[in-house]
Each structure stands twice: as C-alpha cells, then as structure tokens.
Amino acid sequence: MRLSSLLAVLRPALPLILGLSLGCSLSLLRVSWIQGEGEHPCVEAVREPGGLQNPDSRTRLDQSDEDFKPRIVPYYRDPNKPYKKVLRTRYIQTELGSRERLLVAVLTSRATLSTLAVAVNRTVAHHFPRLLYFTGQRGARTPAGMQVVSHGDERPAWLMSETLRHLHTHFGGDYDWFFIMQDDTYVQAPRLAALAGHLSINQDLYLGRAEEFIGAGEQARYCHGGFGYLLSRSLLLRLRPHLDGCRGDILSARPDEWLGRCLIDSLGIGCVSQHQGQQYRSFELAKNRDPEKEGSAAFLSAFAVHPVSEGTLMYRLHKRFSALELERAYSEIEQLQAQIRNLTELTPEGAAGLSWPVGLPAPFTPHSRFEVLGWDYFTEQHIFSCADGAPKAPAFLEAFAAGVLEPREHALLTLLLVYGPREGGRGALDPFLGVKAAAAELEQRYPGTRLAWLAVRAEAPSQVRLMDVVSKKHPVDTLFFLTTVWTRPGPEVLNRCRMNAISGWQAFFPVHFQEFNPTLAPQRSPPGPAGAGPDPPSPPGADPSRGTPVGGRFDRHASAEGCFYNADYLAARARLAAELAGQEEEEALEGLEVMDVFLRFSGLHLFRAVEPGLVQRFSLRDCSPRLSEELYHRCRLSNLEGLAGRAQLAMALFEQEQANST
C-alpha cells in the first residue's frame, strides 16, 4: 500500500529521474573512453626518463608556472665597436617604402611655356601629386605656380633623354608611374589617375596610343607623344643605363619615336594600347572643331585629346569634360537615391524612414515645428526666409580691431564720419571726438592695426554717394567690406567675404543677424544651480563666454553689408552714369543702395546668404522718404519685423491687455 502510494507521488517525476540517470551514465562512459585513448601531451612531456610517470610531475609543473618570473636582459654595447646612430625618416611613408601613384611630366618649349603650358597647369595641376614642366630653353622665365626644369638644349632626343634621367634621379624611388605628355595635349586627369590605380606596378609597361614605325614590323610600335604615355617605375629603372647609348646611336626628329626605338632596341619592349583589361583611349581633335558639339563615343571616353592649338581651346575642352563628369556624378547619385528609396520601403519605418536629402542622414529629428531649421530661398530679386536665434558679439570697433583686423596684415578699417550741415564747424563741438580717440587708442593697443577715418559733410547722405567718396580713396583692386557701426562682425566674416567676392564675377551681400528689441525680448537668465532644470538651447552662433544672448532674426530686408571689389563698383557706377543722366541720375543716387546698383547696373552675379558671424544690435533704421518706394517698404518691414518674435509680441500684447483691464 505504501509502495503504490509512493509510486503515485513520484510518477510525474519519473521522466526527469530517468533522463538524469541516462545523462550521467553516458557522461561516465565518455570520460572512460577519452582516458583510455592516451594521456594529455603536456602530462606526457613531464614523464620520468625511465618511462614511469612521476605522480608529482603535474604538481611541480603547476608550481613552476606560479613561480615563474621574467628575466630582464640589460642593454649592453660593446665599447670596442663603433657606435652607429639609427636614423629615422621624417615621414612614416618613407620608412615603410610607400610611394605616390603618379607623376606627370609635360614637355614644353620656349614659344608655348607661357601659353599652352599655363593652360595645362590651370586645368590639371590640382589633380596630380606632382606636375613638372621640362624645356630645352636655358634660363626660362618660370610662370607663377609652376615647377619648370630647364635642360639647356632643345634637340628632341636630348630633351627626352635628360627628362628621363631627371625623373629617374630625383623621383625614381618616390612614384610608381610616370606619365609623359606634350603641352598641346588635354588630359582628363580623373580618368588618368583611375587608370594608374587599376594597373599592377610590378611589371614593365609602356602604355599609350600605339603607332607603327615607318618600314618596321607590327611588333615594333611606339607611343604617340601627342596623346601621352605611361611608363612604369620598373621600366624606367631598366631603361636608365641605356639612355646614353640610345642618344648616340638613334637619330630621330621626334622625342616619342626616339624613346620608342630606344625601348625596342635595348629592352625589346614596345608600346601597347591595352593591358590587364584597361584600354588607353585617345581622341584626335580635328582643326576648328567645336568641343561643345563633339559627342562621339571616342571623344566622350577619351583620356587625352590632341592637338590643342591654343589656351582657349584647352579651357573649352576642360569645361566640356567637367560638365560630362558632373552629369555622370548626378546620374550615379540618382541611381543610388533610387536604390535607397526601394530599400527604405522594406525597413520597419517604411517610407517614413526616408531622410531628405535622400542618402544623407538627418543630424536630428525635430519633435515640433519650433525645432525645424530655417531655410532661405532666394533669387537675384527676392528672398524668403524664416529663421530665429541670436549670436552674441562685443562692441563694433573693439570687435573689429581685436577679432578681425589683428590677425590680418593687409586689412584697413576706414570709418566714414558723416557731419550735418552745421556740425563740426569752427567753434562747434565735434560729435565724433570720442570715436577718433577710441580709434587712436585701439591702434596703440593692437600694434599693426590700421584704422583711418574720412569726414564727409552732407545734409541727407545716401549709401551710394558715401561709397563714391570711399572708392576714390583706394586702388581699383581693393576688396571692400561695407558695414555699419551697429554691426558686430565675427573673426571669420572677412574670410567668407574674401572667398565669396570674386573680381569681375560676383559680389557678396551677406544677411546679418538682427537682434530684437531688448525691452520686448529680454536677455535670458544665466544658468541656475544644479537641479534648477535644463537651460534653453542657444541660437546658432551664440558664444556663451560673451554673455547670454537675446533673440533675433536674419534681416533679409536689409542690405547695409556687402563685399565687392572697387573695380566692379566703378564699372557699375560708370554704367549707371551712362544710362541715367542729369536729374534722373541724381534721383537714382538718392533712392538706391549699393546692392541695387550692382543688381541693376552690373553684369556680376549677386550672392546673398545668411551670415551668423555678422550680428547687428537692435536699432531702428532711418527710412528716408527720398528712398525709392521699394527700398522704403523694405526699410519699414525691417524695423517692424525686427522688434521681436511672434511669441514676444504676443506676450507684450497680453501683458498690455492685462494692465488695461485692471
């Protein structure tokens, strides 16, 4: 009875008990089989020489591991042997034996050094690690930005021989490939660099447009110098001992034919147009052929185009191939974006997970409309934007002298002091006395800083008339940065001014950041103690070290700041005077600003963009009734929109209504 009741209790656990018993039995059997096959190799290694295992061997081995201590071998130098100092290279690339990929050598002459060679340098120099020009003219005048090697002998064979000797001596250990071309050849630099990157360097290769020698077999070919050719480093090293013999034995009027015969006679290597699946493609340009109308497959895929008769044609070819590369890049971008769109549909987020622009992950995801970054849309006539935020900067004169003028040696700050008809006369108080004293004090505080001032007397001065006065005081190649005393420029403003203003091409009028009225938009409170809650986010460009910022906006209606060259301003001013005469010109000078002069009377591009480093303190602009209707409307909008943001204005109205109701 007891047994049956016990079995009834254990019946649910019987499968578990049987499984454990079976597992333990199989484990014991496996251990016995493993031990029966042999001992551990480490244990066998510590057996006694007689063949019997020492029972204490494993214990001694463990103890020796625990007692192991490293033995330090001191450095010892034999005093009888001379000490040799180990020299380390300056660059790790040299110590590792790494080499640059491609060096380009251009063969030029006395007649084309300052024309075609300069055009080659301007179109392809920035694509290659090194670009050298070789000429036979002795004492050649080197154009700016070009490295010219003069051999002193213009004979073709001599020029080619000395060029190869110079490349071997000075650059034989630094480059894997050497591309030799003439200055009447246009080279598609990115394609040539990609070709060199796909070829193996451990071979003797003479690659270019293969041409047959007159009266020679098909195997004897040379590379046409007009289309350029590639020489591998190993081939140049093998050719170097034969240069002197080839120069004395081979007579040729062309340097490319001389090199081809030298390689065939001395090394048995001829020119090839294809190697390892890579085809060297070239195009022969017909005389008076327009590159813009050329659309053949051979032209579109060419590495080199020859002949180029003049520098202008070189630039036109560069423009054409640059446009082709740009179209190809846009096509690849569209294909990648299409693939991204297709793959995004398969993600958990679906189409909602697609970022814009496609392929560029967003830096952050806005959680409300107040966190959406503002974009500015503008043309040469209109600009639309909605931006917020407020940078902070110090006062005008000190900021300009300390942060802008001090790091630059050739910058001059000119203050234009505009006197009224009855100001600054004899016996009258000079209203700008403090400004002049501050300028003199800043010149002493920052040595090397130049501050000048010009005094102008006018009843109702206009921006264009004042600019006429300043323009006459400076050379035509002067770069002007026009601003006001209310504007506080940051240290990088002049850099962007210099880059965005292009002489004869573009004038730059940045959009400054206008601070709100501090009465309506007070300064933010300084950070509180720990636990007081997070601080509000600072606007773009704010500098915490300069105090707490106030709100503001980028004032798209104002055009008081500008960057342009004096020559461009004089040209636009002369065109204004030619198109408008007499009373019409006087009215235009009163009603126009400098930006409008460039917009209406200049063929330059007019570039406008927001400038976070250009901050203007709150001030109400003086909207002169003499301005044109459009400028007067822009001035009024600038004053009204610059009071405060919508939230501050709404709060001010709410507080006013609350005060009136009580």
Side-chain angles (χ1 to χ4, degrees):
M1 190 68 179
R2 293 180 179 178
L3 181 61
S4 59
S5 61
L6 180 62
L7 290 175
V9 174
L10 296 177
R11 187 182 301 275
L14 284 178
L16 176 62
I17 297 173
L18 292 176
L20 292 175
S21 302
L22 182 61
C24 293
S25 302
L26 292 176
S27 299
L28 293 175
L29 289 174
R30 183 176 180 277
V31 170
S32 62
W33 290 340
I34 293 176
Q35 291 179 351
E37 292 178 358
E39 296 293 342
H40 195 276
C42 295
V43 178
E44 293 178 357
V46 296
R47 288 180 181 271
E48 293 296 328
L52 296 177
Q53 182 178 3
N54 187 354
D56 297 333
S57 59
R58 185 182 301 272
T59 305
R60 291 201 306 267
L61 181 63
D62 295 340
Q63 291 177 354
S64 63
D65 289 342
E66 294 177 358
D67 298 338
F68 173 77
K69 293 183 179 180
R71 184 170 62 93
I72 301 176
V73 180
Y75 172 74
Y76 172 76
R77 182 171 64 90
D78 191 353
N80 298 325
K81 294 182 179 181
Y83 174 70
K84 183 179 180 181
K85 184 178 180 181
V86 179
L87 297 178
R88 299 296 300 273
T89 58
R90 184 174 183 179
Y91 302 104
I92 188 64
Q93 180 182 9
T94 307
E95 187 168 330
L96 295 177
S98 303
R99 293 184 293 270
E100 294 286 353
R101 198 67 179 175
L102 180 63
L103 181 145
V104 178
V106 183
L107 303 180
T108 183
S109 62
R110 181 197 306 266
T112 59
L113 177 60
S114 59
T115 54
L116 287 175
V118 172
V120 171
N121 190 72
R122 290 180 176 178
T123 53
V124 302
H126 54 286
H127 289 284
F128 300 120
R130 186 178 293 272
L131 187 64
L132 301 178
Y133 298 85
F134 295 89
T135 178
Q137 179 185 359
R138 185 181 299 275
R141 184 177 179 182
T142 304
M146 297 172 57
Q147 187 174 354
V148 180
V149 180
S150 301
H151 295 314
D153 195 327
E154 295 185 349
R155 289 177 294 177
W158 182 278
L159 177 61
M160 177 58 70
S161 173
E162 292 301 315
T163 298
L164 294 174
R165 189 190 309 274
H166 184 91
L167 294 177
H168 174 272
T169 303
H170 296 88
F171 306 102
D174 299 332
Y175 293 88
D176 292 328
W177 295 98
F178 299 88
F179 183 76
I180 302 176
M181 57 178 284
Q182 299 173 183
D183 59 1
D184 60 346
T185 305
Y186 174 77
V187 176
Q188 229 294 317
R191 296 180 187 176
L192 180 62
L195 174 66
H198 282 84
L199 296 174
S200 176
I201 63 175
N202 298 322
Q203 55 191 327
D204 300 335
L205 183 60
Y206 179 33
L207 180 67
R209 177 166 174 165
E211 301 283 347
E212 294 183 4
F213 289 104
I214 299 177
E218 294 183 359
Q219 300 299 328
R221 292 171 176 258
Y222 72 96
C223 290
H224 195 293
F227 301 95
Y229 43 88
L230 272 174
L231 293 176
S232 64
R233 174 177 175 269
S234 60
L235 181 60
L236 181 63
L237 297 180
R238 291 184 58 192
L239 178 63
R240 170 63 184 86
H242 304 282
L243 291 178
D244 294 336
C246 291
R247 188 168 60 188
D249 299 339
I250 301 175
L251 299 178
S252 179
R254 295 181 52 176
D256 51 359
E257 289 188 3
W258 178 88
L259 176 60
R261 290 187 181 275
C262 182
L263 286 170
I264 293 174
D265 295 346
S266 58
L267 302 177
I269 297 176
C271 177
V272 294
S273 298
Q274 184 176 0
H275 185 74
Q276 294 181 346
Q278 301 295 323
Q279 179 75 28
Y280 187 83
R281 297 179 294 271
S282 58
F283 182 81
E284 186 172 356
L285 188 65
K287 188 177 181 180
N288 299 327
R289 185 69 177 178
D290 187 3
E292 299 293 336
K293 299 180 180 179
E294 190 64 56
S296 62
F299 175 81
L300 298 179
S301 61
F303 291 92
V305 178
H306 174 80
V308 181
S309 57
E310 57 182 2
T312 305
L313 182 57
M314 185 82 69
Y315 299 131
R316 293 171 62 191
L317 284 168
H318 186 64
K319 176 184 177 182
R320 172 69 168 150
F321 278 99
S322 299
L324 292 174
E325 290 296 320
L326 193 60
E327 292 175 2
R328 183 183 62 83
Y330 284 150
S331 177
E332 293 179 357
I333 291 174
E334 291 177 357
Q335 295 176 6
L336 292 175
Q337 289 179 343
Q339 295 177 8
I340 293 174
R341 292 190 186 96
N342 295 334
L343 293 176
T344 305
E345 297 290 341
L346 305 178
T347 61
E349 295 84 0
L354 188 66
S355 61
W356 189 90
V358 178
L360 298 179
F364 73 97
T365 302
H367 300 288
S368 65
R369 66 184 183 89
F370 300 102
E371 297 181 2
V372 178
L373 296 179
W375 288 71
D376 294 304
Y377 305 91
F378 59 91
T379 63
E380 292 187 351
Q381 286 80 23
H382 303 89
I383 180 170
F384 308 92
S385 68
C386 54
D388 202 358
K392 189 72 177 177
F396 172 77
L397 274 181
E398 187 162 358
F400 221 106
V404 179
L405 289 182
E406 184 183 14
R408 295 165 178 83
E409 298 180 359
H410 303 288
L412 170 66
L413 174 61
T414 301
L415 302 175
L416 194 61
L417 309 180
V418 183
Y419 290 88
R422 300 179 181 179
E423 293 179 338
R426 291 184 178 180
L429 181 63
D430 189 352
F432 297 107
L433 187 61
V435 176
K436 297 176 182 179
E441 191 270 335
L442 288 174
E443 281 187 338
Q444 296 179 357
R445 186 190 307 178
Y446 303 101
T449 302
R450 297 183 297 167
L451 292 95
W453 52 270
L454 295 175
V456 179
R457 191 179 303 277
E459 181 178 358
S462 67
Q463 194 182 44
V464 179
R465 290 187 182 277
L466 297 178
M467 192 63 219
D468 288 344
V469 176
V470 178
S471 177
K472 297 177 182 178
K473 301 292 184 179
H474 296 83
V476 294
D477 59 346
T478 302
L479 173 61
F480 285 122
F481 171 51
L482 183 64
T483 184
T484 66
V485 295
W486 298 104
T487 306
R488 297 168 296 181
E492 295 298 326
V493 171
L494 281 191
N495 282 334
R496 286 188 282 268
C497 173
R498 177 178 53 83
M499 291 186 292
N500 292 325
I502 306 173
S503 180
W505 181 260
Q506 179 172 282
F508 175 50
F509 285 85
V511 180
H512 67 249
F513 186 87
Q514 176 70 51
E515 291 184 350
F516 286 148
N517 189 336
T519 304
L520 298 176
Q523 293 188 354
R524 297 172 181 172
S525 57
D535 298 330
S538 299
D543 188 354
S545 63
R546 296 179 177 178
T548 54
V550 297
R553 54 182 286 276
F554 286 102
D555 191 358
R556 63 184 184 273
H557 302 297
S559 58
E561 294 81 17
C563 299
F564 49 87
Y565 281 87
N566 194 14
D568 297 332
Y569 175 77
L570 293 176
R573 187 66 177 83
R575 183 176 174 183
L576 183 151
E579 295 184 6
L580 305 178
Q583 185 64 27
E584 189 176 2
E585 179 184 2
E586 294 296 326
E587 293 178 357
L589 295 180
E590 295 292 339
L592 292 179
E593 293 184 345
V594 174
M595 188 185 75
D596 300 282
V597 173
F598 277 100
L599 185 62
R600 293 178 52 183
F601 302 99
S602 172
L604 303 181
H605 292 266
L606 196 62
F607 179 41
R608 294 215 76 189
V610 296
E611 176 52 75
L614 206 59
V615 186
Q616 189 174 98
R617 294 170 53 190
F618 172 75
S619 63
L620 292 177
R621 298 174 56 187
D622 184 13
C623 301
S624 173
R626 300 186 181 185
L627 295 174
S628 63
E629 182 178 356
E630 179 185 358
L631 292 181
Y632 183 80
H633 180 65
R634 280 164 42 187
C635 180
R636 293 289 298 168
L637 284 178
S638 176
N639 285 339
L640 294 176
E641 296 181 4
L643 291 175
R646 294 183 178 181
Q648 288 87 1
L649 292 176
M651 183 60 67
L653 291 175
F654 177 75
E655 293 176 354
Q656 184 177 2
E657 291 180 357
Q658 291 291 329
N660 294 336
S661 62
T662 57

